[in-house]
Amino acid sequence: MAEFLNIVAIGLLLGGIYSLVSVGLNLIFGVIRIVNFAQGEFVMLGMYGAFAAQVAMGMDPYIAPVVVAPALFALGCVVYWILLRPLQGEPMMQVFATFGLLMVLENVVLALTRGVSLSVNSAAAQISMSLGPVQMPLARILVLVAATVVAGALGWWLRVTLPGKAIRAVAQDRKAARLMGINVERMYMVSFGVGAALAGLAGCLLAPLYSMSPQIGMNFIMPAFAVVVLGGLGSVAGAYVGGFIVGLTEALAGFYLDPALKHAVLFLVFIAVLIIRPAGLFGVAGAEEVGLREQS
Amino acid sequence: MTLTRRQFGALATGAALMAGSRSSFAQGAPIKIGAVNPYSGAMAQYGDEVTRCYELAAEWANAQGGLLGRQVQIVRGNATSAQEGIGAVEQLVGRDKVDILAGTYVTAISNAASESALNYGKLYWETNALARDLTDRGLPNFVRTGPSSNEFASRAVEGAIKVVGAKLNKQPKDLKVWIEHEDSAYGTSIALEQQRLFKAAGVTVGIGSHSAKAIDVTDSILRAKNFAPDVWISTAYVVDTNLLLRAARDQGFKPAAMMSCGVGDTKETLEAIGKDYLDGILLVSYPRPDVSEKYGPGAGVFLRLYRDKLGRDPVAPQGMNAFVGMKILFEAIKAAGSVEFEKVIKAAAAMDKPLGAYETGYGVKFDDKMQNTRALPVVAQWQGGAVKAVYPTEAASEGVSVINVPRA
């Protein structure tokens, strides 16, 4: 029983990582209907941002989001305006553009670091807490807490605030939103910027857990796609809950079956959920088609 | 215009002089060695280091008068993948007119580049790529001077049985070992060889694998923890090795000894994990410049040459292995009196040098597949933030012995 509890705890903590990485990805998909392949690279940039903040200013990676998240927000806005806005109405081209962006970002960082893996340090990353038989690293608990706060805050912001309502209106019907006086282009840009900023936040909080490499973003993005599809495309709650489903599935399959089989099991669950509920657990049926329908 | 006899004589003399000078220039042209390695991308750090040490060896040889009366020149050919390896060979042979090819840090690149070199009738002198398959192919132009994956596997087994077993006062039949490996061909081939050798020695073995791209490896650590091994051995890449060590620390996994095979011995791991936790972790590694002079005569000189040229310590132990590989090539060329691959291979095959002949402690004796059977890695250990050779005992510098086994 103790062993089982330990594995469940590990699965939940891993779920926190996936949730945090996926929330921004799902926001971008939910509003702009772009499958952003470069989202993992934004996480990677967040990690390197935490490293740069530590080297340049001695900043702890848990404080670094104060600098890194706004920087990623600005980068997201610029990327949207320069790269994606001209391709509006061409969803496939936008997907390819994000893939191109992925390659550019990865290779630029590769050129700058020459492939040397880097690490950031924080006193919090050295602490592991015991709760009976369950061992939980503090750094992962902090990620879980951050994922919960971010999902809650983002949900609140989208529901209650005026910009949030505007974003939801644009997501539901671009044409009607424009007729209501909403600046659709600006809302798209803000959404992409917020999605990138959330990835930057995730990168800072994950930096003490990993040795950074320019390719690390790719490691996050594949499970993150599984999370958003499982949870429901465009749903903040879906990304949050989907993260835990993926984390628990991986931990249980990795421990009780074989770590080499955990991704096979995860994608079996993924296929099963899609067969039973094509829109994902929290998704709206048909939402995934909106991006393919022409909107003016 | 007509030429007088005197003018004709002057022209003829000039032409003869020019022809003579061209001939003597050709005789003095350098021996060009094409170094196929990754100089960009994720593996650039180590590819650069390997070639820097080829260049160091070339400078050392040139300072002693060169080879066959010619200077040695290293020409770089960038290859970050197998396909680029083929392109690099074509460029080095076609454009740069190299005489011999050497490499690499990466097995896949070596595999493709050496076959391409054979098409051009060039020798492929391998110093660092590990996979046993490279020599098992029996390629007629291929020689490997450094250890293969099998030697890394056998040294890890030797370290577990002779170093850890002795410290714990346990016979092989009483030892329990967990072998963890990343699940590509690199980790799997070494792990399976380790498993075979441990079983043959009567050691109880558990084995587990993980993806080098995994976001979390705590499940792998918990499986190992459940097995309660005396020794935990990992063969992985840098990033997942660091992740495994972090997970082990967080989960309070504390076997009597931990060992990392092939990686985990660089600044990247020191910065990620910290010197306190690393203290006592064993490493199966290329011999490093800190080996005793008795074991690796000239290791200190290598370190001085490196520091003089680059103003810092070597980035990774691959460098000295590359340096020695190049020295063995120079000796083979001298013995052959030629750079033609059949002659150099024949001369290399006849070489017979005992262990302890080079800076790395290697000797030279090639088997029928041209794998050097006297190139062996060492067991080293993290001690106070530095890596020190501890096994074979004669490799350890004065005053260095195994610490923190069993782990505190």
Coordinates of all heavy atoms in Angstrom, one line a residue, chain A residues 3 6-7 10 14 17-18 110 114-117 119-121 125-128 135-137 140 207-211 213 215 219-220 223 250-251 254-260 262, chain B residues 38-45 48 180 183 208-220 222-223 225-226 238-239 242-243 246-247 249-252 268-269 271-273:
Chain A
E3 N 3.8 1.5 -1.1 CA 4.5 1.6 -2.4 C 3.5 2.3 -3.4 O 3.8 3.2 -4.2 CB 4.8 0.2 -2.9 CG 5.6 0.1 -4.1 CD 5.9 -1.4 -4.3 OE1 5.1 -2.1 -5.0 OE2 6.9 -1.9 -3.8
N6 N 3.1 5.9 -2.8 CA 4.3 6.7 -3.3 C 4.2 6.9 -4.8 O 4.5 8.0 -5.3 CB 5.6 5.9 -2.9 CG 6.8 6.8 -2.8 OD1 6.7 8.0 -2.8 ND2 8.0 6.2 -2.8
I7 N 3.8 5.8 -5.5 CA 3.7 5.9 -7.0 C 2.6 7.0 -7.3 O 2.8 7.8 -8.3 CB 3.4 4.6 -7.6 CG1 4.5 3.6 -7.3 CG2 3.1 4.7 -9.1 CD1 5.8 4.0 -8.0
I10 N 3.9 10.4 -6.9 CA 4.8 10.7 -8.0 C 4.1 11.0 -9.3 O 4.4 11.9 -10.0 CB 5.8 9.5 -8.2 CG1 6.9 9.6 -7.1 CG2 6.5 9.6 -9.6 CD1 7.6 8.4 -6.8
L14 N 4.1 14.5 -11.2 CA 4.5 14.6 -12.7 C 3.3 15.2 -13.4 O 3.5 16.0 -14.4 CB 4.7 13.1 -13.2 CG 5.0 13.0 -14.6 CD1 6.3 13.7 -15.0 CD2 5.2 11.5 -15.0
I17 N 3.6 18.9 -13.5 CA 4.5 19.4 -14.6 C 3.8 19.4 -15.9 O 3.8 20.4 -16.6 CB 5.7 18.4 -14.7 CG1 6.6 18.5 -13.4 CG2 6.6 18.8 -15.9 CD1 7.7 17.5 -13.4
Y18 N 3.1 18.4 -16.2 CA 2.4 18.3 -17.5 C 1.3 19.4 -17.6 O 1.1 20.0 -18.6 CB 1.8 16.9 -17.8 CG 2.8 15.9 -18.1 CD1 2.7 14.6 -17.6 CD2 3.9 16.2 -19.0 CE1 3.7 13.6 -18.0 CE2 4.8 15.3 -19.3 CZ 4.7 14.0 -18.8 OH 5.6 13.0 -19.2
L110 N 21.2 26.1 -29.6 CA 22.3 25.1 -29.8 C 23.6 25.8 -30.2 O 24.7 25.5 -29.7 CB 21.8 24.2 -30.9 CG 22.4 22.8 -31.0 CD1 22.3 22.0 -29.7 CD2 21.7 22.0 -32.1
R114 N 26.5 25.5 -27.8 CA 27.3 24.5 -28.3 C 27.0 23.1 -27.7 O 27.8 22.2 -27.6 CB 28.8 24.8 -28.2 CG 29.2 26.0 -29.0 CD 30.7 26.2 -29.1 NE 31.4 25.2 -29.8 CZ 31.3 25.0 -31.2 NH1 30.6 25.9 -31.9 NH2 32.0 24.1 -31.7
G115 N 25.7 23.0 -27.3 CA 25.2 21.7 -26.8 C 25.6 21.3 -25.4 O 25.3 20.3 -24.9
V116 N 26.3 22.3 -24.7 CA 26.6 22.0 -23.3 C 25.4 22.1 -22.5 O 24.7 23.1 -22.5 CB 27.7 23.0 -22.8 CG1 28.0 22.8 -21.4 CG2 28.9 22.9 -23.7
S117 N 25.1 21.1 -21.7 CA 23.9 21.2 -20.8 C 24.2 22.0 -19.6 O 25.3 21.9 -19.0 CB 23.4 19.8 -20.4 OG 24.3 19.1 -19.6
S119 N 22.8 24.0 -15.8 CA 21.9 23.8 -14.7 C 21.8 25.0 -13.9 O 22.7 25.8 -13.9 CB 22.5 22.7 -13.8 OG 22.6 21.5 -14.5
V120 N 20.6 25.2 -13.3 CA 20.5 26.3 -12.3 C 20.3 25.7 -10.9 O 19.8 24.6 -10.8 CB 19.3 27.2 -12.6 CG1 19.5 28.0 -13.9 CG2 18.0 26.5 -12.6
N121 N 20.6 26.4 -9.9 CA 20.5 25.9 -8.6 C 19.6 26.8 -7.7 O 19.5 28.0 -7.9 CB 21.9 25.9 -7.9 CG 22.8 24.9 -8.6 OD1 22.5 23.7 -8.7 ND2 24.0 25.4 -9.1
A125 N 15.5 23.2 -4.4 CA 15.6 22.0 -5.2 C 16.3 20.9 -4.5 O 16.3 19.8 -5.0 CB 16.3 22.4 -6.5
Q126 N 17.0 21.2 -3.4 CA 17.7 20.2 -2.7 C 16.9 19.5 -1.6 O 17.3 18.5 -1.0 CB 18.9 20.8 -2.0 CG 19.8 21.8 -2.8 CD 20.5 21.0 -3.9 OE1 21.0 19.9 -3.7 NE2 20.7 21.7 -5.0
I127 N 15.6 20.0 -1.4 CA 14.8 19.5 -0.3 C 13.8 18.4 -0.8 O 13.1 18.6 -1.8 CB 14.1 20.7 0.4 CG1 15.1 21.7 0.9 CG2 13.2 20.2 1.5 CD1 14.5 23.0 1.3
S128 N 13.8 17.3 -0.1 CA 12.8 16.3 -0.3 C 12.0 16.1 0.9 O 12.6 15.9 2.0 CB 13.5 15.0 -0.8 OG 12.5 14.0 -1.1
Q135 N 7.8 10.0 -0.6 CA 8.9 11.0 -0.7 C 8.5 12.0 -1.8 O 8.2 11.6 -2.9 CB 10.2 10.3 -1.1 CG 10.8 9.4 0.0 CD 11.6 10.3 1.0 OE1 11.9 11.4 0.6 NE2 11.8 9.8 2.1
M136 N 8.5 13.3 -1.4 CA 8.1 14.3 -2.4 C 9.2 15.4 -2.5 O 9.3 16.1 -1.5 CB 6.7 14.8 -2.1 CG 5.6 13.8 -2.2 SD 4.0 14.5 -2.0 CE 4.1 14.9 -0.2
P137 N 9.8 15.6 -3.6 CA 10.8 16.7 -3.7 C 10.0 18.0 -3.7 O 9.0 18.2 -4.3 CB 11.4 16.5 -5.1 CG 11.0 15.2 -5.6 CD 9.7 14.8 -4.8
R140 N 9.1 19.8 -6.9 CA 7.9 19.3 -7.7 C 6.6 19.7 -7.0 O 5.6 19.9 -7.7 CB 8.0 17.8 -7.8 CG 9.2 17.4 -8.7 CD 9.1 15.9 -9.0 NE 10.2 15.6 -10.0 CZ 10.1 14.7 -10.9 NH1 9.0 14.1 -11.2 NH2 11.1 14.5 -11.7
A207 N 13.2 24.6 -14.4 CA 14.7 24.7 -14.5 C 15.5 24.0 -13.4 O 16.5 23.3 -13.7 CB 15.1 26.1 -14.7
P208 N 15.1 24.1 -12.2 CA 15.9 23.4 -11.1 C 15.8 21.9 -11.2 O 16.6 21.2 -10.5 CB 15.3 23.9 -9.8 CG 14.6 25.2 -10.2 CD 14.1 24.9 -11.6
L209 N 14.8 21.4 -11.9 CA 14.6 19.9 -12.0 C 15.4 19.2 -13.1 O 15.6 18.0 -13.0 CB 13.1 19.6 -12.2 CG 12.1 20.0 -11.1 CD1 10.7 19.8 -11.6 CD2 12.3 19.1 -9.9
Y210 N 15.8 20.0 -14.1 CA 16.4 19.3 -15.2 C 17.8 19.9 -15.6 O 18.0 21.1 -15.3 CB 15.5 19.5 -16.4 CG 14.2 18.8 -16.3 CD1 13.0 19.4 -15.9 CD2 14.1 17.4 -16.5 CE1 11.8 18.8 -15.7 CE2 12.9 16.7 -16.3 CZ 11.8 17.4 -15.9 OH 10.6 16.8 -15.7
S211 N 18.6 19.1 -16.3 CA 19.7 19.7 -16.9 C 19.2 20.2 -18.3 O 18.6 19.5 -19.1 CB 20.8 18.6 -17.1 OG 21.3 18.3 -15.9
S213 N 19.0 21.3 -22.1 CA 19.6 21.2 -23.4 C 18.6 21.8 -24.4 O 17.4 22.0 -24.1 CB 19.7 19.7 -23.7 OG 18.5 19.1 -24.0
Q215 N 17.3 20.7 -26.9 CA 16.2 19.8 -27.4 C 15.2 19.5 -26.3 O 14.3 18.8 -26.6 CB 16.9 18.5 -27.8 CG 17.8 18.6 -29.0 CD 19.2 18.9 -28.5 OE1 19.5 19.0 -27.4 NE2 20.2 19.0 -29.5
N219 N 10.9 17.1 -25.5 CA 10.5 16.1 -24.6 C 9.2 16.5 -23.9 O 8.5 15.6 -23.5 CB 11.6 16.0 -23.5 CG 13.0 15.6 -24.1 OD1 13.1 15.3 -25.3 ND2 14.0 15.5 -23.3
F220 N 8.9 17.8 -23.7 CA 7.7 18.2 -23.1 C 6.5 18.2 -24.0 O 5.4 18.0 -23.6 CB 7.9 19.6 -22.5 CG 8.8 19.6 -21.3 CD1 10.0 20.2 -21.4 CD2 8.4 19.1 -20.1 CE1 10.9 20.2 -20.3 CE2 9.2 19.1 -19.0 CZ 10.5 19.7 -19.0
P223 N 4.1 14.7 -24.8 CA 3.1 14.4 -23.7 C 2.1 15.6 -23.6 O 0.9 15.4 -23.3 CB 3.9 14.3 -22.4 CG 5.3 14.1 -22.9 CD 5.4 14.7 -24.2
E250 N 1.5 7.4 -16.6 CA 3.0 7.1 -16.8 C 3.6 6.5 -15.6 O 4.3 5.6 -15.7 CB 3.7 8.5 -17.1 CG 3.6 8.8 -18.6 CD 4.7 9.8 -19.0 OE1 5.7 9.9 -18.3 OE2 4.5 10.5 -19.9
A251 N 3.3 7.1 -14.4 CA 3.9 6.6 -13.2 C 3.5 5.2 -12.9 O 4.4 4.3 -12.6 CB 3.6 7.5 -12.0
G254 N 4.9 2.8 -15.6 CA 6.3 2.7 -15.5 C 6.8 1.9 -14.4 O 7.7 1.1 -14.5
F255 N 6.1 2.0 -13.3 CA 6.5 1.2 -12.1 C 6.0 -0.2 -12.1 O 6.8 -1.2 -11.9 CB 6.0 1.9 -10.8 CG 6.5 1.2 -9.6 CD1 7.8 1.4 -9.1 CD2 5.7 0.3 -8.8 CE1 8.3 0.7 -8.0 CE2 6.1 -0.3 -7.7 CZ 7.4 -0.1 -7.3
Y256 N 4.7 -0.4 -12.4 CA 4.2 -1.8 -12.3 C 4.4 -2.6 -13.6 O 4.4 -3.8 -13.5 CB 2.7 -1.7 -12.0 CG 2.4 -1.3 -10.6 CD1 1.9 0.0 -10.3 CD2 2.8 -2.1 -9.5 CE1 1.7 0.4 -9.0 CE2 2.6 -1.7 -8.2 CZ 2.0 -0.4 -7.9 OH 1.9 0.0 -6.6
L257 N 4.5 -2.0 -14.7 CA 4.8 -2.7 -16.0 C 6.3 -2.7 -16.3 O 7.0 -3.5 -16.0 CB 3.9 -2.2 -17.1 CG 2.4 -2.5 -17.0 CD1 1.6 -1.8 -18.1 CD2 2.1 -4.0 -17.0
D258 N 6.6 -1.6 -17.0 CA 8.0 -1.4 -17.4 C 8.2 0.1 -17.8 O 7.3 0.6 -18.6 CB 8.3 -2.3 -18.6 CG 9.7 -2.3 -19.0 OD1 10.4 -1.3 -18.7 OD2 10.2 -3.2 -19.7
P259 N 9.2 0.8 -17.4 CA 9.4 2.2 -17.8 C 9.4 2.3 -19.3 O 9.0 3.3 -19.9 CB 10.7 2.6 -17.2 CG 10.8 1.7 -16.0 CD 10.2 0.4 -16.4
A260 N 9.9 1.3 -20.0 CA 10.0 1.3 -21.5 C 8.6 1.3 -22.1 O 8.5 1.7 -23.3 CB 10.9 0.2 -22.0
K262 N 5.8 2.7 -20.7 CA 4.8 3.7 -20.2 C 4.2 4.6 -21.3 O 3.0 4.9 -21.2 CB 5.4 4.5 -19.1 CG 6.6 5.4 -19.4 CD 7.1 6.0 -18.1 CE 8.4 6.8 -18.3 NZ 9.0 7.3 -17.0
Chain B
P38 N 31.6 16.0 -35.0 CA 30.6 17.1 -34.9 C 31.2 18.3 -34.3 O 31.7 18.3 -33.2 CB 29.5 16.5 -34.0 CG 30.2 15.4 -33.2 CD 31.4 15.0 -34.0
Y39 N 31.2 19.4 -35.1 CA 31.7 20.7 -34.5 C 30.6 21.7 -34.4 O 30.9 22.9 -34.0 CB 32.8 21.3 -35.5 CG 33.9 20.3 -35.8 CD1 34.2 19.9 -37.1 CD2 34.7 19.8 -34.7 CE1 35.2 18.9 -37.3 CE2 35.7 18.9 -35.0 CZ 36.0 18.5 -36.3 OH 36.9 17.6 -36.5
S40 N 29.4 21.3 -34.6 CA 28.3 22.1 -34.4 C 27.2 21.2 -33.8 O 27.3 20.0 -33.8 CB 27.8 22.8 -35.6 OG 27.4 21.9 -36.6
G41 N 26.2 21.8 -33.2 CA 25.1 21.0 -32.7 C 25.4 20.5 -31.3 O 26.3 20.9 -30.7
A42 N 24.5 19.5 -30.9 CA 24.5 19.1 -29.5 C 25.8 18.4 -29.1 O 26.1 18.3 -28.0 CB 23.3 18.1 -29.4
M43 N 26.5 17.8 -30.1 CA 27.7 17.0 -29.7 C 29.0 17.8 -30.0 O 30.1 17.2 -29.9 CB 27.7 15.7 -30.5 CG 26.5 14.8 -30.1 SD 26.3 13.4 -31.2 CE 25.8 14.1 -32.7
A44 N 28.9 19.1 -30.3 CA 30.0 19.8 -30.7 C 31.1 19.9 -29.6 O 32.3 19.9 -29.9 CB 29.6 21.3 -31.0
Q45 N 30.7 20.0 -28.3 CA 31.6 20.2 -27.3 C 32.7 19.0 -27.3 O 33.9 19.2 -27.2 CB 30.9 20.2 -25.9 CG 31.9 20.5 -24.8 CD 31.2 20.3 -23.4 OE1 30.3 19.6 -23.3 NE2 31.8 21.0 -22.4
D48 N 34.7 18.7 -30.8 CA 35.8 19.7 -30.7 C 36.9 19.2 -29.9 O 38.1 19.4 -30.3 CB 35.3 21.0 -30.1 CG 34.9 22.1 -31.1 OD1 35.4 22.0 -32.2 OD2 34.1 23.0 -30.8
E180 N 20.9 -0.2 -14.9 CA 19.9 0.8 -15.5 C 20.5 1.3 -16.8 O 21.7 1.6 -16.8 CB 19.7 1.9 -14.5 CG 18.7 3.0 -15.0 CD 17.3 2.5 -15.1 OE1 16.8 1.7 -14.2 OE2 16.6 2.8 -16.1
D183 N 17.4 3.3 -23.4 CA 16.9 2.2 -24.2 C 17.3 2.2 -25.7 O 16.7 1.4 -26.5 CB 15.4 2.0 -24.0 CG 14.6 3.3 -24.4 OD1 15.2 4.2 -25.0 OD2 13.4 3.3 -24.2
G208 N 16.9 -2.6 -15.8 CA 15.7 -1.8 -16.2 C 16.2 -0.8 -17.2 O 17.4 -0.4 -17.3
S209 N 15.2 -0.3 -18.0 CA 15.6 0.7 -19.0 C 14.7 1.9 -18.9 O 13.6 1.8 -18.4 CB 15.5 0.0 -20.4 OG 14.2 -0.3 -20.7
H210 N 15.1 3.0 -19.5 CA 14.3 4.2 -19.6 C 14.6 4.9 -20.9 O 15.7 4.6 -21.5 CB 14.6 5.1 -18.4 CG 16.0 5.6 -18.4 ND1 17.1 4.9 -17.9 CD2 16.5 6.7 -19.0 CE1 18.2 5.6 -18.1 NE2 17.9 6.7 -18.8
S211 N 13.7 5.8 -21.3 CA 14.0 6.6 -22.5 C 14.9 7.8 -22.1 O 14.7 8.4 -21.0 CB 12.7 7.1 -23.1 OG 13.0 8.2 -23.9
A212 N 15.9 8.1 -22.9 CA 16.8 9.2 -22.6 C 16.0 10.5 -22.6 O 16.5 11.5 -22.2 CB 17.9 9.2 -23.6
K213 N 14.8 10.5 -23.3 CA 14.0 11.7 -23.4 C 12.9 11.8 -22.3 O 12.1 12.7 -22.4 CB 13.4 11.8 -24.8 CG 14.4 12.0 -25.9 CD 13.7 12.0 -27.2 CE 14.8 12.2 -28.3 NZ 14.2 12.0 -29.6
A214 N 12.9 10.9 -21.4 CA 11.9 10.9 -20.3 C 11.9 12.1 -19.5 O 12.9 12.7 -19.2 CB 12.1 9.6 -19.4
I215 N 10.6 12.6 -19.2 CA 10.5 13.8 -18.3 C 10.7 13.4 -16.9 O 11.1 14.2 -16.1 CB 9.0 14.3 -18.5 CG1 8.8 14.9 -19.9 CG2 8.7 15.4 -17.5 CD1 9.7 16.0 -20.2
D216 N 10.4 12.1 -16.6 CA 10.6 11.7 -15.2 C 11.1 10.2 -15.2 O 10.6 9.4 -16.0 CB 9.2 11.7 -14.5 CG 9.3 11.4 -13.0 OD1 10.3 11.8 -12.4 OD2 8.4 10.8 -12.5
V217 N 12.0 10.0 -14.3 CA 12.6 8.6 -14.2 C 12.5 8.1 -12.8 O 13.1 7.1 -12.4 CB 14.1 8.6 -14.7 CG1 14.2 8.8 -16.2 CG2 14.9 9.6 -13.9
T218 N 11.6 8.7 -12.0 CA 11.4 8.2 -10.6 C 10.9 6.8 -10.6 O 11.3 6.0 -9.7 CB 10.4 9.1 -9.9 OG1 10.8 10.5 -10.1 CG2 10.4 8.9 -8.4
D219 N 10.1 6.4 -11.6 CA 9.6 5.0 -11.6 C 10.8 4.0 -11.8 O 10.9 3.0 -11.1 CB 8.6 4.8 -12.7 CG 9.0 5.4 -14.1 OD1 10.1 6.0 -14.2 OD2 8.2 5.3 -15.0
S220 N 11.8 4.4 -12.6 CA 13.0 3.5 -12.8 C 13.8 3.4 -11.5 O 14.2 2.4 -11.1 CB 13.9 4.1 -13.9 OG 13.2 4.1 -15.1
L222 N 12.6 3.8 -8.4 CA 11.8 3.0 -7.4 C 11.9 1.5 -7.7 O 11.9 0.7 -6.8 CB 10.4 3.5 -7.4 CG 10.2 4.9 -6.8 CD1 8.7 5.3 -6.8 CD2 10.7 5.0 -5.3
R223 N 11.9 1.2 -9.0 CA 12.0 -0.2 -9.3 C 13.4 -0.7 -8.8 O 13.5 -1.8 -8.3 CB 11.9 -0.4 -10.8 CG 10.5 -0.4 -11.3 CD 10.4 -0.2 -12.8 NE 10.8 -1.4 -13.5 CZ 10.0 -2.4 -13.9 NH1 8.7 -2.3 -13.6 NH2 10.4 -3.4 -14.5
K225 N 15.1 0.6 -6.4 CA 15.1 0.6 -5.0 C 14.5 -0.6 -4.4 O 14.9 -1.2 -3.4 CB 14.4 1.9 -4.5 CG 14.5 2.3 -3.0 CD 13.8 3.6 -2.7 CE 13.9 3.9 -1.2 NZ 13.1 5.1 -0.9
N226 N 13.4 -1.1 -5.0 CA 12.7 -2.3 -4.6 C 13.6 -3.5 -4.7 O 13.4 -4.4 -3.9 CB 11.5 -2.5 -5.5 CG 10.2 -1.9 -4.8 OD1 10.3 -1.2 -3.9 ND2 9.1 -2.2 -5.4
V238 N 24.1 12.3 -20.8 CA 24.3 13.3 -19.7 C 23.0 13.7 -19.0 O 22.9 13.7 -17.8 CB 25.1 14.5 -20.2 CG1 25.2 15.6 -19.1 CG2 26.5 14.1 -20.7
V239 N 22.0 14.1 -19.8 CA 20.8 14.7 -19.3 C 20.0 13.7 -18.4 O 19.6 14.0 -17.3 CB 20.0 15.3 -20.4 CG1 18.6 15.7 -19.9 CG2 20.7 16.5 -21.0
N242 N 21.8 12.8 -15.1 CA 21.6 13.8 -14.1 C 20.2 13.6 -13.5 O 20.0 13.8 -12.3 CB 21.8 15.2 -14.7 CG 23.2 15.5 -15.1 OD1 24.1 14.7 -14.8 ND2 23.5 16.6 -15.7
L243 N 19.2 13.3 -14.4 CA 17.8 13.1 -13.9 C 17.7 11.9 -13.0 O 17.0 12.0 -12.0 CB 16.9 13.0 -15.1 CG 15.4 13.3 -15.0 CD1 15.2 14.6 -14.4 CD2 14.7 13.1 -16.3
R246 N 19.3 12.8 -9.6 CA 18.4 13.7 -8.9 C 17.2 12.9 -8.3 O 16.9 13.0 -7.1 CB 17.8 14.8 -9.8 CG 18.6 15.9 -10.0 CD 17.8 17.0 -10.7 NE 18.6 18.3 -10.8 CZ 19.1 18.7 -11.9 NH1 18.8 18.1 -13.1 NH2 19.8 19.9 -12.0
A247 N 16.6 12.0 -9.1 CA 15.5 11.2 -8.6 C 16.0 10.2 -7.5 O 15.3 10.0 -6.5 CB 14.9 10.3 -9.7
R249 N 18.4 10.8 -5.4 CA 18.6 11.7 -4.2 C 17.2 12.0 -3.5 O 17.1 11.8 -2.3 CB 19.3 13.0 -4.6 CG 19.6 13.9 -3.5 CD 20.2 15.2 -4.0 NE 19.2 15.9 -4.8 CZ 19.5 16.9 -5.6 NH1 20.8 17.3 -5.8 NH2 18.6 17.5 -6.4
D250 N 16.3 12.4 -4.4 CA 15.0 12.8 -3.9 C 14.2 11.6 -3.2 O 13.5 11.8 -2.3 CB 14.1 13.3 -5.0 CG 14.6 14.7 -5.5 OD1 15.4 15.3 -4.8 OD2 14.3 15.0 -6.6
Q251 N 14.4 10.4 -3.7 CA 13.7 9.2 -3.2 C 14.5 8.5 -2.1 O 14.1 7.4 -1.7 CB 13.4 8.2 -4.4 CG 12.4 8.7 -5.3 CD 11.0 9.1 -4.7 OE1 10.6 8.3 -3.8 NE2 10.4 10.2 -5.0
G252 N 15.6 9.1 -1.7 CA 16.4 8.4 -0.7 C 16.9 7.1 -1.0 O 17.1 6.2 -0.2
E268 N 29.2 19.2 -16.3 CA 27.8 19.3 -16.4 C 27.1 18.5 -15.3 O 26.0 19.0 -14.8 CB 27.4 18.7 -17.8 CG 27.8 19.5 -19.0 CD 27.8 18.7 -20.3 OE1 28.5 17.7 -20.3 OE2 27.0 19.0 -21.2
T269 N 27.6 17.4 -14.9 CA 27.0 16.6 -13.8 C 27.3 17.2 -12.5 O 26.5 17.3 -11.6 CB 27.4 15.1 -13.9 OG1 27.0 14.6 -15.1 CG2 26.9 14.3 -12.8
E271 N 27.7 20.4 -11.8 CA 26.9 21.6 -11.6 C 25.4 21.2 -11.4 O 24.7 21.9 -10.6 CB 27.0 22.5 -12.8 CG 28.3 23.2 -12.9 CD 28.5 24.1 -14.1 OE1 27.6 24.0 -15.0 OE2 29.5 24.8 -14.2
A272 N 25.0 20.1 -12.0 CA 23.6 19.7 -11.8 C 23.3 19.0 -10.5 O 22.3 19.3 -9.9 CB 23.2 18.7 -12.9
I273 N 24.3 18.3 -10.0 CA 24.0 17.4 -8.8 C 24.7 18.0 -7.5 O 24.2 17.8 -6.4 CB 24.4 16.0 -9.0 CG1 23.9 15.4 -10.3 CG2 24.1 15.1 -7.9 CD1 22.3 15.4 -10.4

